[in-house]
Amino acid sequence: AQSVTQLDSQVPVFEEAPVELRCNYSSSVSVYLFWYVQYPNQGLQLLLKYLSGSTLVKGINGFEAEFNKSQTSFHLRKPSVHISDTAEYFCAVTFMYSSASKIIFGSGTRLSIRP
Amino acid sequence: DAGVTQSPTHLIKTRGQQVTLRCSPKSGHDTVSWYQQALGQGPQFIFQYYEEEERQRGNFPDRFSGHQFPNYSSELNVNALLLGDSALYLCASSLVETGANVLTFGAGSRLTVL
């Protein structure tokens, strides 16, 4: 069965420190991979996506993610976080079946930045 | 270029009532999906509309229904509201030809059922 797992529900970090938010998936079909960010009382905004090509993907706000097919992971990283990065981050995977596609979101990781 | 717009932003209903939420997709998009996001959880897929037809449906009861209009805008209807229907309802639009489900989300409609 297809699934998406975000291993950490909360990640506290100090400002200007690096951060990694983890995402793993389980799939028997090909996939497309996404990270979305949700600020308080807002909808979700696309941070970055992997559709094909280079496995290292760069997104907005200095974030990047690496697709590791053997590990079935798509971890999100930022070398130096800011207070403004405080938000909820969702990993999403589109599973490509022969007749249709299905997107599943992870349960989210709350990133809190300490000054 | 307008993104996805949703209305109303907030609403309060009582158990048993019915509610209609509205969504206008991003300009150029032809597919609309609806999600329910309960507090502290990720978005749960309700259904997706393309060419005015429901293409896919998540694990939601028939109390949840929708519609897509010729201009690609969409409505989500929920009948016989339950307390558990309280959530943020998100509309997302995309282009069907990409197949990858690259979604553009609206800000959501927060429904409170008392």
Side-chain angles (χ1 to χ4, degrees):
Chain A
Q2 281 36 271
S3 66
V4 179
T5 303
Q6 290 185 244
L7 297 166
D8 306 298
S9 59
Q10 294 187 58
V11 172
V13 295
F14 287 103
E15 194 173 17
E16 298 183 7
V19 69
E20 178 179 82
L21 306 183
R22 297 179 292 170
C23 175
N24 287 84
Y25 66 92
S26 172
S27 180
S28 57
V29 298
S30 60
V31 297
Y32 298 119
L33 303 159
F34 307 85
W35 277 97
Y36 288 87
V37 60
Q38 186 176 33
Y39 299 103
N41 301 313
Q42 295 187 27
L44 278 69
Q45 178 183 3
L46 181 66
L47 263 183
L48 48 77
K49 62 183 181 290
Y50 172 79
L51 302 183
S52 65
S54 172
T55 57
L56 181 62
V57 179
K58 294 189 183 298
I60 62 172
N61 302 339
F63 284 93
E64 64 180 32
E66 186 158 21
F67 172 42
N68 188 320
K69 189 173 183 178
S70 62
Q71 301 282 335
T72 60
S73 67
F74 191 54
H75 299 333
L76 180 70
R77 291 189 280 263
K78 186 170 182 178
S80 176
V81 296
H82 301 116
I83 291 287
S84 59
D85 294 323
T86 298
E88 187 97 22
Y89 292 79
F90 293 95
C91 177
V93 179
T94 295
F95 299 93
M96 302 300 294
Y97 302 97
S98 56
S99 59
S101 63
K102 177 181 179 181
I103 185 168
I104 298 177
F105 283 81
S107 55
T109 297
R110 183 171 300 278
L111 179 61
S112 59
I113 312 297
R114 301 169 175 172
Chain B
D1 182 22
V4 178
T5 58
Q6 293 187 242
S7 62
T9 54
H10 296 83
L11 67 167
I12 300 173
K13 294 286 187 177
T14 57
R15 280 181 299 173
Q17 285 190 312
Q18 178 264 344
V19 68
T20 297
L21 308 178
R22 296 176 176 81
C23 172
S24 292
K26 180 180 178 180
S27 179
H29 283 185
D30 54 13
T31 302
V32 173
S33 303
W34 286 93
Y35 291 83
Q36 181 194 66
Q37 186 180 21
L39 206 59
Q41 296 184 23
Q44 299 294 314
F45 175 69
I46 303 175
F47 42 55
Q48 182 185 73
Y49 277 83
Y50 171 68
E51 291 189 334
E52 303 179 49
E53 290 190 358
E54 183 181 292
R55 295 181 74 208
Q56 293 185 43
R57 189 180 183 90
N59 190 25
F60 279 80
D62 292 343
R63 297 186 298 109
F64 289 77
S65 63
H67 190 77
Q68 186 180 34
F69 300 93
N71 66 352
Y72 307 116
S73 67
S74 177
E75 288 182 349
L76 164 65
N77 300 291
V78 187
N79 295 320
L81 284 168
L82 304 174
L83 296 179
D85 295 330
S86 294
L88 180 67
Y89 288 85
L90 295 165
C91 172
S93 69
S94 57
L95 261 178
V96 71
E97 66 182 18
T98 68
N101 275 325
V102 182
L103 302 172
T104 300
F105 282 87
S109 295
R110 184 164 297 282
L111 170 65
T112 301
V113 182
L114 301 176

